[in-house]
Amino acid sequence: MRTQLAMVIDSSTCIDCKACMVACKVENQVPEGYWRNWVKSSEPRYADVDWMDSVRPAHFQPGGCMHCSNPTCVSACPTGATYKDESDGAVKVNDRLCIGCGYCIPACPYGARYRHPTRHVVDKCDFCQHRRDRGELPACVTTCPTKARVFGDINNPKSDAAQLLKQNRSIQIVHESVNTQPNMYYLSATAPINWPVKPGKPDAMQFWKLINPSIWGVVGLNALGVLLMLGKQILMSHDKPAADNSSPEKES
Amino acid sequence: MKRMLISIMTLVFLTVSVAGLMGAEKGGNSRKGKYTFRKSCRECHMEGGKAQELSPANKTQAQWDAVFAADQYKSLACKAEWEKLSAGDINDIYAYMWDHAFDSPSPAKCK
Amino acid sequence: MSSPFDPALSRRNFLKWSGASAAAIAAGSQTPVLHAQAKDGNTGQAPTVAHKYTVCGMCLNACGMIARVENGVVTKLDPNPRFLKSRGMLCARGNAGIQQLYDPDRLKYPMLRKGERGEGKWERISWDQALDIAAEKFMKIAKEYSRCGVLFTPGSDTQSTFVHWFAEVFGSYNIATHESSCLLSRNRAYLDTFGEVPFADVLHTRYIIIVGANPFEAIMTPDTIDLMTARKNGCKIVVLDPRYTKTAGLAHEWFPIKPGTDMAFFLALAHVITQEKRYDQTYADEKLYGINELTEHVRQYSPEWAEKETEIPAEAIRRIARELSAAAPEAIVYPGRRTSDYVNSTQMRRSMAIVNALLGNWDRPGGLLAARQVGLANPDLPEAPFYDDNPENRLDHGMANMMFDEEGSFKHLRDAIIAGKPYPIKGWFIYKYNPLQSLANRKKTIEMMQKMDFIVSVDITMSDTAYMSDLVLPAPSVLERQDPAVGLQGSSACACVMARDPVIPPLYESRPVFDILKGMAGRMELAEFFDFTVEEYRKGQLKGLPDAEKALREDGVYYNPSKLYGVYDGKIYKTLSKKIEIYNQRYAQMGADPLPVYQAPREQPVNRYRLVVGRSACFTHCTTQNNALLHEMMPENTLWLHPRSARKLGLTDGDRVEVKSHAGRGELAVSLKNGIREDTVYMASGYDPLSPGLTRIYGRGACIADLIEDYADHLSGNMAMHETFVQITRKGAV
């Protein structure tokens, strides 16, 4: 079967130490103020004054680009720079094709993309392609103290990731408006899960019009077509939306 | 409350007086004792030396008391070395051994 | 290549590696390790890529790392999977070690103060000049006062052993380590109960009570990782903390205990366990000294009584006592690490040690473990000289009655230096030690410095303490130096030896402290005592371990497969009774409480809040806040305040406040947090430095060292940093 790299995460073991974030930042030279990955937290809401009387455990949730099988960012890209790599199932950006228009940034429900401030291309997680080329695991996976992030080809039944998926219930986090079919699986339960946003239309259109009108001519038609597709993604997706209690669960 | 007061007073009293007792009880100078011990005894009493490796932490305070009270060292093979030392030197070594004995509050560290 | 990596790599193999079995080390190999050993150029790139084993120095845990060096530049630090103590992980700080190496805020060359102390005027000088000045000034102090007139403060570092050695041959007993602001009260309590300071076998325990510790944020290897593994395996975690830490958040039960009342909780546990006979009588008869005295003593401390002190329901205390003893001996009251909190910290920890004794967990799986044999030897060094004209004792001698002679008490030393009694201290050699940020009462430390004639700081950046010194010498990071071998205790994971070799040569003009000391010794007629290299010293340490050098080279670590459990079988305990001393005979002889007697914390004045110290996983005390990679996580500190307290003070989230104590003041923003008691406030350490050389955090937040008043634990002299009450007032809108 085709390779589909994925991350299977036992978020209940995350201690929110931020090792994955710093490891990623160093490995991929992510500039100050930007991140390719994150740890979200469902600590009790402090606005609730009586919270202390009914203590709920905290839950920390590591994340990053979900390398979706139905990626809204790919549809949003006018130049084909953002693509789903058929060889490993990862969603990647081809720097040479990327014009930095940024359409893909709001098109991602997970906030996994940013425009690199000096390279002027869009940057995101590629499951540490260069490390994998050397036979190493992604930096965040290797460094994690509690090994909460388990990485592998979920279509290879021998991989740890596939076995974990097989042996456990898992959930994916999606926005109700579109099932992007993310390849980041959380074991049993995770929180928070209501944070993805509806894939948006890119503000960047305005930006590009102002900055470099000539580019508009080149990519305009392309972009229009892509936008139509994006619109289709958003409006016509009939996949089951997932909310807190109705996340698609995969059982073995 | 009374008990608390007493314990506080005891502690205050202790910090002033008993503290000195721990190290100085034997009358000797423990630091000098360490130096004299290392200078006079360690050549043999070290790892790979002629005699058994020895440090204050080899014995309890009671055992060191016994060694020095009974002048046990006089029956040792290194009697001649001991006789070269002054009474003050021996007392210093005693203080060093006792202060850093196996069951002392600051046992000698072995690495 | 459908799958570019070996699926067998990673988790299962990792688990095998971390399985604590020395046999596993010899067995399988693993791709990342192969890469570390691989010759340059195996990636098809130009042959300028190297992978080198090293050990992290961002905190004192010492976790194994593999440094990737490309064209002479360190580009990434990864965990060494063969390093069992750190369970094949590297935390955020470890990853940020690369930033410490290449930080533009690093000190680059020796600098001599011009102008007043703290004025920030410096003159760049050569190393020869610097060492000449340092040697001359210290010798002058030695002649005018005494050799004990120079204070040495080696911080927690692999090369600190050379600072100790230098102090010894120079002739000063006045050495203060970081320990008297950290864990001495814990060490005191366990030494005085078990005769030894234990390591907790967190991995194999079934029930753990964590008090005064925060292992999910104050990362400790392997305890932090083991705690999560144990939790996955069903271990119950109970946390008592006035603050909702991440450890509290991930615990099964969390009780926001009234600060300073922990002893009441443990005496009540002892009450239930003894009254209900929930301990092993045979074990008690054989191993424990003073069980009957304890039973009698804790009769007064019922859970109902403890509820009034701790604000933890009596019924919960009773239940926890029963659950805990049911899980024994695979049950632990976690000894913790930093115990510099209250004036009765030692007795508080004694009450915890006593509950451990009742659980019968000493030297058993899932309990408390004795230190294991590592096998390092002491290299042959010449005998240190004895100086007859020196005072008889340390300056702080006798200021606490159970002080550790080698560690001393910084708090008491500082008082004695300011008083100039019983003799003056006029010089100070500082290595990796920053009391102006890390210890209580910053103003008093400055006052102490003003009593001194000459202060040398060896540091990587211009810390506050360096900034207030006379001569500042640049040190390299651990990635740039060769270090002696060090034995590490990794609980049930391992006992091991680590040693560092330079990953890259030292940057700028930085020199390791060993070279600095050697240079000074040569100028003080002490050259013979430093007539060796670090390489030779290490060879001396490893002389009894023939396999060590090879293992260090090939695996980045050497394991001595020594006994883990049952170390005490057939052995006596290092106490006066030769048993586990529940009732401490020496305390009785001295007039101290032989069994812990409850002492309520000082009464909290009206409208004051207790200030507590705490840790974050991104910061090592006050040393990594200025690291660009970590600074992003918390650009400045805020004051944690409960919303109800905020309402009383008329504050809303983000308001700026002035915080005042008897020691000092600070200004910062408040964060409203329900996760803190109404009577308690918290702020992170390490902000608002005096030194503008810490460019990212200069002028940001407030400095907790300026606020904490100076108290010390009565028995050990350990600093007591939770005894401060602060006043909070709103600052006008800016």
Side-chain angles (χ1 to χ4, degrees):
Chain A
M1 202 190 267
R2 211 158 44 80
T3 300
Q4 178 58 60
L5 295 180
M7 223 173 254
V8 184
I9 299 179
D10 184 356
S11 54
S12 72
T13 67
C14 174
I15 58 172
D16 193 25
C17 71
K18 315 275 202 283
C20 51
M21 295 172 70
V22 179
C24 172
K25 189 157 238 185
V26 174
E27 182 70 64
N28 298 296
Q29 296 168 35
V30 177
E32 195 163 346
Y34 301 91
W35 303 97
R36 279 187 177 191
N37 63 1
W38 56 75
V39 180
K40 294 193 185 295
S41 133
S42 75
E43 280 177 270
R45 293 187 68 82
Y46 293 124
D48 170 11
V49 176
D50 292 324
W51 162 81
M52 224 174 193
D53 302 327
S54 55
V55 186
R56 289 173 303 147
H59 197 108
F60 305 105
Q61 181 189 74
C65 171
M66 309 239 171
H67 297 273
C68 306
S69 291
N70 177 27
T72 43
C73 56
V74 169
S75 333
C77 178
T79 66
T82 283
Y83 66 105
K84 175 103 177 154
D85 190 329
E86 294 301 318
S87 73
D88 60 7
V91 173
K92 297 175 186 171
V93 179
N94 182 336
D95 280 3
R96 276 175 301 180
L97 292 179
C98 179
I99 55 169
C101 70
Y103 295 178
C104 56
I105 296 171
C108 171
Y110 307 107
R113 296 170 160 258
Y114 69 95
R115 190 190 282 106
H116 196 287
T118 53
R119 293 198 292 120
H120 306 300
V121 290
V122 165
D123 190 48
K124 65 174 284 293
C125 164
D126 60 357
F127 281 149
C128 282
Q129 176 74 60
H130 58 292
R131 284 177 68 97
R132 290 187 283 123
D133 289 345
R134 296 195 298 253
E136 296 169 12
L137 290 166
C140 59
V141 175
T142 299
T143 214
C144 178
T146 58
K147 304 296 168 214
R149 294 169 181 262
V150 176
F151 175 75
D153 174 10
I154 47 167
N155 290 341
N156 174 354
K158 278 195 242 163
S159 76
D160 291 335
Q163 296 206 348
L164 265 182
L165 266 188
K166 202 176 146 200
Q167 290 154 9
N168 296 274
R169 288 157 59 91
S170 66
I171 70 166
Q172 294 156 295
I173 299 171
V174 294
H175 187 260
E176 57 183 6
S177 65
V178 54
N179 185 353
T180 53
Q181 296 168 29
N183 282 302
M184 192 162 278
Y185 297 85
Y186 293 91
L187 295 187
S188 307
T190 190
I193 58 171
N194 57 352
W195 54 269
V197 296
K198 187 176 175 184
K201 288 183 185 172
D203 313 333
M205 280 171 72
Q206 278 307 103
F207 170 82
W208 272 102
K209 237 156 112 182
L210 290 171
I211 297 295
N212 195 348
S214 63
I215 287 184
W216 182 244
V218 182
V219 300
L221 284 173
N222 241 339
L224 265 175
V226 165
L227 268 178
L228 281 172
M229 281 172 67
L230 174 67
K232 186 178 154 224
Q233 281 288 350
I234 295 166
L235 298 170
M236 300 180 66
S237 170
H238 295 295
D239 291 320
K240 193 176 103 186
D244 278 32
N245 303 316
S246 60
S247 309
E249 285 180 355
K250 187 176 167 182
E251 290 175 52
S252 58
Chain B
M1 193 62 202
K2 212 175 189 178
R3 191 145 195 184
M4 195 183 104
L5 262 178
I6 291 170
S7 60
I8 291 174
M9 283 170 62
T10 317
L11 282 166
V12 171
F13 171 71
L14 281 172
T15 37
V16 186
S17 62
V18 181
L21 201 140
M22 306 299 299
E25 193 178 43
K26 299 295 149 193
N29 181 335
S30 171
R31 292 177 195 284
K32 181 123 193 237
K34 179 181 180 184
Y35 169 75
T36 314
F37 170 75
R38 292 172 70 100
K39 195 176 62 152
S40 318
C41 318
R42 223 175 75 95
E43 198 185 324
C44 298
H45 286 292
M46 67 192 285
E47 198 192 332
K50 275 188 277 179
Q52 187 196 351
E53 193 183 356
L54 197 59
S55 114
N58 281 88
K59 293 183 191 298
T60 63
Q61 289 183 334
Q63 286 170 322
W64 286 122
D65 282 340
V67 168
F68 284 87
D71 290 356
Q72 267 183 28
Y73 54 84
K74 287 185 178 160
S75 60
L76 296 172
C78 53
K79 182 168 174 270
E81 296 299 320
W82 282 99
E83 278 163 359
K84 283 185 209 158
L85 297 172
S86 70
D89 285 341
I90 292 174
N91 217 22
D92 291 344
I93 295 178
Y94 182 14
Y96 169 56
M97 294 299 178
W98 200 87
D99 279 0
H100 301 285
F102 179 72
D103 59 346
S104 71
S106 292
K109 285 181 185 170
C110 42
K111 280 175 188 156
Chain C
M1 192 162 63
S2 65
S3 176
F5 56 91
D6 176 4
L9 180 157
S10 77
R11 203 144 180 276
R12 256 167 307 133
N13 258 10
F14 168 77
L15 291 174
K16 190 168 78 185
W17 270 101
S18 55
S21 133
I25 300 154
S29 70
Q30 193 164 306
T31 313
V33 176
L34 289 175
H35 276 273
Q37 297 165 352
K39 289 201 172 72
D40 292 349
N42 67 332
T43 58
Q45 292 173 289
T48 48
V49 182
H51 291 84
K52 297 185 180 181
Y53 286 124
T54 183
V55 177
C56 184
M58 293 296 279
C59 76
L60 48 76
N61 274 300
C63 300
M65 303 195 295
I66 299 170
R68 190 166 77 231
V69 188
E70 297 179 54
N71 299 322
V73 176
V74 184
T75 53
K76 182 72 174 70
L77 301 168
D78 275 314
N80 175 358
R82 295 192 169 179
F83 207 93
L84 299 179
K85 178 180 186 278
S86 45
R87 303 282 188 210
M89 75 98 200
L90 197 61
C91 78
R93 284 167 290 158
N95 276 281
I98 209 161
Q99 175 67 25
Q100 186 188 51
L101 176 65
Y102 295 118
D103 197 327
D105 280 356
R106 262 184 73 161
L107 293 170
K108 299 177 181 66
Y109 34 76
M111 290 194 290
L112 185 68
R113 172 171 66 83
K114 296 273 125 188
E116 294 302 306
R117 273 202 189 120
E119 215 183 333
K121 292 184 182 162
W122 303 94
E123 178 193 355
R124 177 179 178 173
I125 58 172
S126 73
W127 269 108
D128 273 338
Q129 285 172 298
L131 295 172
D132 286 346
I133 292 167
E136 184 208 315
K137 294 276 188 185
F138 283 154
M139 283 314 293
K140 187 161 177 267
I141 291 165
K143 284 200 185 90
E144 271 176 44
Y145 304 95
S146 76
R147 286 173 178 268
C148 284
V150 179
L151 169 66
F152 291 85
T153 52
S156 204
D157 185 90
T158 322
Q159 292 212 357
S160 284
T161 183
F162 299 128
V163 182
H164 282 270
W165 175 237
F166 184 90
E168 195 174 344
V169 300
F170 175 79
S172 176
Y173 328 135
N174 289 310
I175 303 173
T177 66
H178 93 286
E179 295 194 7
S180 74
S181 52
C182 185
L183 43 64
L184 282 191
S185 41
R186 177 203 72 172
N187 289 4
R188 188 76 271 164
Y190 281 86
L191 197 72
D192 294 346
T193 308
F194 295 97
E196 181 168 353
V197 180
F199 299 85
D201 186 9
V202 175
L203 184 63
H204 300 109
T205 201
R206 296 194 292 146
Y207 202 105
I208 187 164
I209 299 181
I210 298 174
V211 178
N214 179 14
F216 283 144
E217 286 185 272
I219 294 179
M220 216 181 125
T221 52
D223 291 17
T224 299
I225 302 102
D226 286 358
L227 183 62
M228 185 50 80
T229 312
R231 182 177 180 268
K232 266 161 70 177
N233 295 338
C235 169
K236 180 162 180 180
I237 305 173
V238 175
V239 170
L240 276 54
D241 200 310
R243 188 164 72 90
Y244 187 73
T245 61
K246 284 172 189 167
T247 310
L250 292 168
H252 296 93
E253 292 188 52
W254 167 58
F255 297 95
I257 186 172
K258 184 178 173 194
T261 66
D262 314 51
M263 193 202 281
F265 176 83
F266 289 102
L267 291 172
L269 290 190
H271 171 96
V272 177
I273 296 171
T274 52
Q275 302 303 311
E276 299 182 3
K277 284 260 180 214
R278 290 180 177 274
Y279 59 89
D280 180 340
Q281 188 65 52
T282 324
Y283 179 87
D285 291 344
E286 194 187 325
K287 311 257 188 191
L288 305 182
Y289 181 85
I291 182 79
N292 295 333
E293 287 87 343
L294 176 74
T295 308
E296 205 43 51
H297 175 68
V298 296
R299 199 182 296 280
Q300 57 188 315
Y301 300 125
S302 67
E304 286 69 26
W305 163 84
E307 175 175 343
K308 292 195 197 91
E309 294 297 324
T310 61
E311 299 177 13
I312 299 172
E315 152 267 319
I317 299 174
R318 190 163 269 118
R319 176 178 52 77
I320 289 167
R322 291 171 183 165
E323 289 174 0
L324 183 71
S325 47
E330 287 139 348
I332 301 177
V333 174
Y334 190 60
R337 197 168 172 90
R338 184 186 71 84
T339 53
S340 50
D341 37 24
Y342 298 96
V343 291
N344 62 340
S345 284
T346 296
Q347 290 286 19
M348 195 183 272
R349 264 66 192 189
R350 274 268 298 152
S351 72
M352 295 161 72
I354 286 169
V355 173
N356 275 316
L358 292 174
L359 299 174
N361 64 13
W362 183 261
D363 200 20
R364 288 190 185 176
L368 300 180
L369 304 180
R372 292 165 70 179
Q373 288 226 325
V374 176
L376 288 179
N378 288 319
D380 287 330
L381 296 174
E383 296 306 334
F386 187 78
Y387 301 96
D388 279 313
D389 49 352
N390 250 340
E392 190 166 323
N393 270 309
R394 305 176 50 97
L395 189 68
D396 51 3
H397 178 78
M399 292 178 77
N401 58 354
M402 287 292 277
M403 204 155 79
F404 288 93
D405 197 50
E406 285 185 32
E407 279 79 18
S409 159
F410 184 86
K411 193 261 172 200
H412 291 318
L413 258 175
R414 185 173 64 189
D415 286 344
I417 292 171
I418 289 170
K421 283 174 187 162
Y423 56 85
I425 284 187
K426 294 290 180 182
W428 190 4
F429 184 92
I430 305 163
Y431 178 55
K432 208 176 174 183
Y433 193 65
N434 185 14
L436 286 177
Q437 271 290 358
S438 58
L439 304 187
N441 205 335
R442 173 159 85 176
K443 283 191 191 66
K444 219 167 178 180
T445 310
I446 294 173
E447 191 186 342
M448 173 184 106
M449 294 174 98
Q450 299 302 6
K451 294 276 175 187
M452 294 186 172
D453 294 342
F454 186 66
I455 303 169
V456 182
S457 266
V458 181
D459 213 323
I460 297 179
T461 52
M462 188 64 94
S463 69
D464 280 4
T465 308
Y467 188 67
M468 292 297 292
S469 301
D470 303 318
L471 180 63
V472 177
L473 304 177
S477 74
V478 294
L479 296 169
E480 303 154 78
R481 52 185 225 207
Q482 186 178 42
D483 279 350
V486 172
L488 299 173
Q489 296 289 335
S491 180
S492 59
C494 64
C496 66
V497 175
M498 68 93 160
R500 297 187 183 97
D501 284 308
V503 169
I504 59 165
L507 295 180
Y508 315 112
E509 290 183 19
S510 64
R511 282 191 193 177
V513 77
F514 174 79
D515 293 10
I516 293 168
L517 297 164
K518 189 169 178 158
M520 282 166 61
R523 289 163 169 82
M524 292 174 165
E525 295 175 10
L526 298 170
E528 59 179 303
F529 300 102
F530 275 84
D531 187 20
F532 59 91
T533 63
V534 175
E535 178 86 42
E536 287 161 358
Y537 186 87
R538 200 157 85 186
K539 280 217 179 322
Q541 291 179 295
L542 298 175
K543 66 189 168 197
L545 304 170
D547 305 329
E549 285 196 55
K550 184 167 180 274
L552 285 167
R553 205 167 46 241
E554 292 179 359
D555 300 330
V557 59
Y558 167 75
Y559 298 101
N560 192 339
S562 55
K563 201 170 176 185
L564 172 58
Y565 305 115
V567 175
Y568 270 69
D569 288 350
K571 281 194 188 163
I572 56 165
Y573 290 82
K574 299 171 189 171
T575 59
L576 287 182
S577 61
K578 304 182 175 63
K579 288 185 171 190
I580 296 168
E581 288 214 350
I582 285 179
Y583 179 96
N584 186 292
Q585 298 193 82
R586 181 171 281 115
Y587 287 14
Q589 288 168 8
M590 292 185 331
D593 294 328
L595 288 163
V597 175
Y598 182 70
Q599 194 183 323
R602 286 190 303 136
E603 206 157 304
Q604 187 147 345
V606 187
N607 295 329
R608 299 272 175 150
Y609 298 83
R610 186 184 292 272
L611 177 63
V612 295
V613 175
R615 302 290 172 231
S616 139
C618 286
F619 304 126
T620 303
H621 304 160
C622 53
T623 63
T624 63
Q625 284 79 355
N626 193 57
N627 181 305
L629 287 164
L630 302 168
H631 169 254
E632 269 191 85
M633 305 295 181
M634 197 194 286
E636 64 179 70
N637 61 351
T638 57
L639 187 75
W640 285 36
L641 186 67
H642 193 278
R644 269 194 287 264
S645 310
R647 203 171 309 143
K648 254 198 294 188
L649 292 161
L651 296 168
T652 53
D653 197 50
D655 280 353
R656 283 194 76 79
V657 290
E658 180 184 51
V659 184
K660 255 182 168 160
S661 72
H662 293 303
R665 60 174 296 283
E667 277 180 44
L668 75 174
V670 292
S671 290
L672 298 198
K673 300 260 189 188
N674 238 321
I676 189 155
R677 286 174 57 96
E678 285 175 60
D679 54 5
T680 306
V681 291
Y682 160 78
M683 66 172 81
S685 305
Y687 290 85
D688 191 25
L690 301 168
S691 164
L694 304 169
T695 54
R696 287 174 209 92
I697 55 167
Y698 184 64
R700 309 293 295 269
C703 171
I704 198 168
D706 201 42
L707 286 163
I708 302 173
E709 297 163 10
D710 47 319
Y711 287 85
D713 172 43
H714 295 314
L715 280 173
S716 67
N718 202 24
M719 200 163 255
M721 302 209 267
H722 291 197
E723 292 280 3
T724 304
F725 298 114
V726 295
Q727 200 177 6
I728 300 164
T729 46
R730 187 200 176 89
K731 289 296 291 182
V734 183

